[in-house]
Amino acid sequence: MTSIEAQVLQPYKYGFVTDIESDDVPLGLNEDIIRLISRKKSEPAFLLEWRLKAYRHWLTLSEPTWANVHHPPIDYQAIRYYSAPKQQKKLDSLDQVDPKLLETFDKLGIPLAEQKRLSGVAVDAVFDSVSVATTFRAELAKYGIIFCAFSEAVREHPELVEKWLGSVVPASDNFFAALNSAVFTDGSFCYIPKGVRSPLELSTYFRINASSTGQFERTLIVADEGSYVSYLEGCSAPVRDENQLHAAVVELVALDDATIKYSTIQNWYPGDENGKGGIYNFVTKRGACRGRNSKISWTQVETGSAITWKYPGCILQGDNSIGEFYSVAVTNNHQQADTGTKMIHMGRNTRSTIVSKGISAGKGQNTYRGLVKILKGAEDARNYSQCDSMLIGDQCGAHTFPYIDVRNASAIMEHEASTSKIGEDQIFYCKQRGLSAEDAVSLVVNGFCKEVFKELPMEFAVEAQNLLGISLEGSVG
Amino acid sequence: MSTGSGKREAGGVILDIRGLHATVANDAKNEILKGLDLTVRAGEVHAIMGPNGSGKSTLAAVLAGHPAYTVTGGTVTYLGKDLLEMAPEERAREGVFLAFQYPVAIRGITNSYFLRSAVNAVRKHKGQEELDPLDFLQVLETKLKQIGWDDSFLNRAVNDGFSGGEKKRNEILQMAVLEPTLAILDETDSGLDIDALKTVAEAVNALRRPDHATVVVTHYQRLLNYIVPDRVHVLAGGRIVKSGGKELALELEEKGYVGV
């Protein structure tokens, strides 16, 4: 493989820093910091209590060590838990958003200004610890859809927040979820009323900008009976030598006959070619198919982050409910990923599908870890799992840890796995037909990922393909 | 589709190989080609025959620029240019086509997409406008008609789950669409039954042009009953040891390589 390795590394495209004055809390974590964050956000008492409870529980936990990733210990007192760009208190319209922020999102390909917006997509833009703008809100409101910053939902729809917050990922769920529950600052909230099919794709773009700052956002999506929503999240961060922590929580609730399609294109700064810097992406995502015939589908394209630790799962409570997980995870240079899903079958006739594509290049380590659990009452449950790994070069690794726990004999389980190596022969074959090395790699890799990409909304499938090309540039020559 | 470079009329030299030496993996002990000479002119079909291990496939691979081989001596001139200086993809874009002995599979990518990417890479190189999927479909249909094949290959992933015969046919389809100036067919007959062999040969014949040339690498005479060569060369020990007309192939069939 040595002869196909030398090529110029494409620098990370989104690594710029926005120079903007920010309102920060001091470094470190204690109850006063949590009270301060809560006060800054003018939160109701129940939420502060919830945060403090989570924090006290977090103190009793220790960082999980079972994942197949390695990093120096994280100093939680060296992290800043809140940083927000300074701006006028109350914004009547987007025109009042700091032009620097608008420009930042413009540069990221997420235009927020009225005339330039992406058609068909409503965007909530989160910058460090706060949401700076949400587009198309009025249009969505006509359908009764609530789509806003989480902190706004806390103020304007406290009853909905109180009802659903922590209902899928309890504050005590795990170390990082507990930390998030204590300090989360913003994120998106989304409620689709009964029988409504969202006319727009909803999306949130997360941007980390400030240094020494962690991002702890929380997303909560509730799809009421018979509703449908497709939601997409994207993210990026500046190039920095330090490792920054991103510990998010995403909770989805689908009631009877509701469908939530959740897509992620994760492009946090992955660190440099020597493994310096990059985001630690330690995220808890879970969806509950509470209702009959409900469906939650996760699609993720994970190309960024120094370390990715996430297992978007589905709790299939309602009879006939469906859970899906489609994943492409790429690790290049020194990136590490330990990702997969959890499908918990509780209801009758529940179905789950898992399609995981891991691509390792450079010295990257890629682990699929997935749990399929069929509980006693889950009559006639079915699962299909497919885990494919592709290796580029001979210094990377692919690992698969499927956990299967079946407690009902009527279950039907299928598991397929494969590992392949992108070969000099494949590249040469493409070159012999006139394709460049880059196009050849992108062709082979995109073919490998096709089953996942076809699950993405059209506009983003193209973005994902391009992103994949960039992430792997330099891995094959 | 003329590139306008070199002599392309019938009889003009397309490929000129002089004293070619090549090794595997840049290992001098592994020299396979040991001073090979060959001249191929426009409009001609050349057959390279020889026993196993004589260097036939190495010659094909070296002409295409396979990275596993190192050229240690000699020259290769293609349409007046130094072929060895060109990257593999550049050779392809300039009209050198290799029909692989063992074509590789590319999962998830349809033949028609792959072919269009290849055609557009060539067109871009020539400064021509790239074809959109609809225009390309027309080109494909014309080609399929010319070689008398149906379109059942187009929406299948490149060589994925193809039988040996299907893979070989697919190579010929790619050749038909790319219209190479110099086509090198490496053991295209191996693994083909007699009907498939005929189909492939007929397609190759239908694609013959006075300004193009074909080099057929094979170790059986069988294929040459259908693709009739102008020149036959015997490759042994890394060199062309004997050349002649099509009757040489028959002589080989009768007496074996040792006898000639």
Side-chain angles (χ1 to χ4, degrees):
Chain A
M1 211 63 186
T2 47
S3 69
I4 51 174
E5 260 164 4
Q7 219 179 50
V8 190
L9 261 178
Q10 170 103 356
Y12 181 68
K13 241 171 101 179
Y14 307 102
F16 63 91
V17 179
T18 306
D19 181 18
I20 194 162
E21 213 184 329
S22 59
D23 170 19
D24 299 338
V25 301
L27 293 175
L29 184 55
N30 52 53
E31 293 202 2
D32 288 340
I33 291 282
I34 292 169
R35 285 177 212 279
L36 181 58
I37 291 173
S38 187
R39 198 156 57 238
K40 277 185 182 294
K41 307 185 84 66
S42 327
E43 286 175 354
F46 85 87
L47 197 50
L48 176 61
E49 271 319 299
W50 197 76
R51 286 175 179 279
L52 291 171
K53 211 174 137 197
Y55 173 67
R56 287 165 198 151
H57 182 72
W58 179 73
L59 291 173
T60 69
L61 301 173
S62 48
E63 223 177 271
T65 53
W66 45 262
N68 187 23
V69 298
H70 306 278
H71 58 84
I74 298 170
D75 179 358
Y76 291 91
Q77 296 304 333
I79 295 172
R80 192 185 316 283
Y81 289 85
Y82 183 89
S83 173
K86 274 190 182 153
Q87 60 180 13
Q88 295 138 288
K89 263 249 145 58
K90 193 96 180 137
L91 297 179
D92 295 329
S93 84
L94 273 169
D95 304 336
Q96 294 171 17
V97 175
D98 189 322
K100 274 187 188 166
L101 290 173
L102 292 179
E103 194 190 312
T104 300
F105 284 96
D106 257 0
K107 261 166 107 171
L108 297 169
I110 316 288
L112 300 172
E114 202 87 41
Q115 62 278 17
K116 288 192 278 182
R117 288 172 185 174
L118 304 167
S119 62
V121 185
V123 182
D124 181 27
V126 176
F127 189 90
D128 288 329
S129 304
V130 293
S131 162
V132 295
T134 310
T135 64
F136 291 113
R137 291 190 49 182
E139 287 83 344
L140 290 168
K142 285 185 210 152
Y143 296 85
I145 296 171
I146 304 168
F147 179 49
C148 63
F150 203 98
S151 43
E152 212 173 312
V154 169
R155 285 195 301 272
E156 285 167 25
H157 310 279
E159 70 301 338
L160 283 175
V161 173
E162 191 167 8
K163 180 171 178 191
W164 298 110
L165 178 70
S167 68
V168 185
V169 180
S172 58
D173 191 79
N174 67 69
F175 182 83
F176 295 111
L179 177 63
N180 174 286
S181 301
V183 301
F184 77 92
T185 47
D186 222 330
S188 303
F189 175 82
C190 175
Y191 172 79
I192 318 291
K194 272 185 195 172
V196 170
R197 196 182 162 88
S198 175
L200 299 175
E201 301 270 347
L202 306 187
S203 84
T204 307
Y205 194 92
F206 296 99
R207 174 71 178 172
I208 293 179
N209 186 64
S211 64
S212 311
T213 301
Q215 195 176 53
F216 306 90
E217 86 276 2
R218 211 160 168 116
T219 300
L220 174 56
I221 299 177
V222 180
D224 213 326
E225 292 171 20
S227 67
Y228 170 90
V229 63
S230 169
Y231 177 93
L232 185 122
E233 59 173 3
C235 46
S236 63
V239 170
R240 286 222 168 79
D241 284 350
E242 57 173 8
N243 293 110
Q244 282 177 278
L245 179 62
H246 170 256
V249 170
V250 174
E251 296 179 278
L252 312 182
V253 181
L255 301 181
D256 284 358
D257 304 301
T259 297
I260 301 175
K261 190 171 164 55
Y262 193 105
S263 314
T264 303
I265 294 185
Q266 187 265 106
N267 188 25
W268 295 117
Y269 177 55
D272 69 8
E273 66 276 19
N274 300 312
K276 202 167 175 56
I279 302 292
Y280 291 164
N281 188 35
F282 300 158
V283 171
T284 307
K285 292 183 169 178
R286 198 172 302 147
C289 285
R290 286 273 154 80
R292 292 173 57 87
N293 310 318
S294 56
K295 177 176 171 184
I296 290 180
S297 178
W298 299 97
T299 305
Q300 60 172 24
V301 177
E302 305 281 319
T303 59
S305 298
I307 303 178
T308 295
W309 177 100
K310 65 181 273 201
Y311 315 90
C314 297
I315 300 168
L316 302 172
Q317 252 173 303
D319 291 349
N320 313 319
S321 59
I322 297 172
E324 294 175 338
F325 175 74
Y326 297 96
S327 170
V328 167
V330 182
T331 53
N332 195 1
N333 296 319
H334 290 262
Q335 282 176 278
Q336 307 172 63
D338 192 308
T339 184
T341 184
K342 288 186 198 177
M343 293 291 175
I344 315 290
H345 292 251
M346 297 168 75
R348 290 160 179 272
N349 197 31
T350 46
R351 275 148 215 274
S352 61
T353 302
I354 300 171
V355 177
S356 163
K357 305 278 179 176
I359 300 166
S360 319
K363 295 189 165 105
Q365 294 295 326
N366 210 321
T367 301
Y368 167 80
R369 188 185 303 277
L371 168 69
V372 179
K373 192 167 183 171
I374 313 283
L375 296 181
K376 243 190 187 138
E379 283 295 322
D380 300 318
R382 290 195 68 156
N383 164 264
Y384 171 77
S385 300
Q386 182 190 335
C387 303
D388 297 324
S389 305
M390 177 178 273
L391 301 170
I392 303 177
D394 49 14
Q395 295 190 70
C396 53
H399 319 271
T400 303
F401 301 101
Y403 303 85
I404 295 171
D405 182 354
V406 178
R407 304 188 181 187
N408 184 312
S410 67
I412 300 175
M413 314 281 292
E414 291 172 77
H415 186 98
E416 287 179 31
S418 77
T419 303
S420 57
K421 208 170 164 181
I422 188 168
E424 191 143 338
D425 281 341
Q426 259 174 327
I427 302 300
F428 180 67
Y429 187 72
C430 295
K431 282 185 176 177
Q432 213 303 304
R433 298 301 183 249
L435 303 179
S436 64
E438 293 93 329
D439 289 346
V441 172
S442 134
L443 200 74
V444 172
V445 169
N446 279 313
F448 176 72
C449 299
K450 192 179 185 183
E451 289 147 287
V452 175
F453 286 164
K454 74 175 169 44
E455 297 297 323
L456 286 172
M458 252 297 254
E459 312 81 307
F460 301 108
V462 176
E463 189 188 331
Q465 288 186 16
N466 293 338
L467 198 56
L468 212 61
I470 291 167
S471 298
L472 288 170
E473 218 152 288
S475 60
V476 178
Chain B
M1 298 286 273
S2 170
T3 59
S5 55
K7 286 179 188 163
R8 299 286 300 281
E9 72 277 14
V13 174
I14 286 187
L15 180 71
D16 193 40
I17 305 175
R18 294 283 139 230
L20 184 64
H21 288 257
T23 63
V24 173
N26 205 10
D27 177 1
K29 283 182 292 227
N30 253 327
E31 192 176 62
I32 306 213
L33 299 183
K34 301 170 179 171
L36 185 142
D37 298 314
L38 179 68
T39 304
V40 179
R41 293 170 192 279
E44 293 177 343
V45 173
H46 287 237
I48 311 277
M49 302 187 71
N52 291 328
S54 58
K56 300 187 303 293
S57 285
T58 300
L59 174 62
V62 165
L63 292 177
H66 196 288
Y69 299 92
T70 308
V71 173
T72 49
T75 60
V76 179
T77 311
Y78 169 71
L79 296 178
K81 292 184 199 165
D82 183 355
L83 186 73
L84 302 175
E85 278 295 301
M86 298 161 133
E89 58 271 32
E90 214 182 322
R91 300 179 195 197
R93 293 171 194 160
E94 289 279 336
V96 177
F97 179 91
L98 172 63
F100 284 72
Q101 184 177 6
Y102 303 109
V104 299
I106 305 173
R107 262 168 77 181
I109 297 294
T110 61
N111 252 324
S112 57
Y113 184 86
F114 181 68
L115 271 170
R116 185 162 67 89
S117 304
V119 165
N120 280 337
V122 174
R123 291 182 70 91
K124 205 171 147 191
H125 178 71
K126 291 181 180 165
Q128 294 167 337
E129 208 175 314
E130 296 183 31
L131 296 177
D132 66 32
L134 284 176
D135 291 342
F136 181 66
L137 202 63
Q138 284 187 334
V139 173
L140 264 180
E141 279 170 359
T142 314
K143 280 294 163 193
L144 284 167
K145 214 176 249 171
Q146 192 185 347
I147 55 177
W149 293 358
D150 63 27
D151 59 1
S152 58
F153 277 43
L154 301 182
N155 290 317
R156 291 172 63 186
V158 182
N159 297 326
D160 193 21
F162 280 35
S163 72
E166 284 177 326
K167 284 184 186 173
K168 296 299 174 69
R169 274 184 60 180
N170 200 21
E171 293 294 287
I172 301 305
L173 174 61
Q174 293 181 27
M175 182 179 105
V177 172
L178 288 164
E179 301 179 340
T181 304
L182 175 65
I184 304 155
L185 276 52
D186 186 13
E187 308 266 4
T188 296
D189 50 338
S190 68
L192 291 186
D193 61 38
I194 193 71
D195 293 330
L197 185 74
K198 274 188 195 167
T199 315
V200 163
E202 278 162 15
V204 172
N205 289 331
L207 295 167
R208 281 185 75 161
R209 282 169 47 164
D211 56 341
H212 288 181
T214 308
V215 175
V216 179
V217 172
T218 180
H219 60 263
Y220 292 117
Q221 192 267 336
R222 201 172 64 148
L223 178 65
L224 305 180
N225 289 334
Y226 303 100
I227 303 175
V228 180
D230 299 294
R231 300 288 293 163
V232 175
H233 310 275
V234 179
L235 182 57
R239 280 214 288 266
I240 304 278
V241 294
K242 190 163 185 174
S243 297
K246 61 182 180 230
E247 65 289 346
L248 179 57
L250 294 168
E251 195 186 330
L252 280 169
E253 184 82 347
E254 204 178 305
K255 299 184 186 166
Y257 292 110
V258 183
V260 181

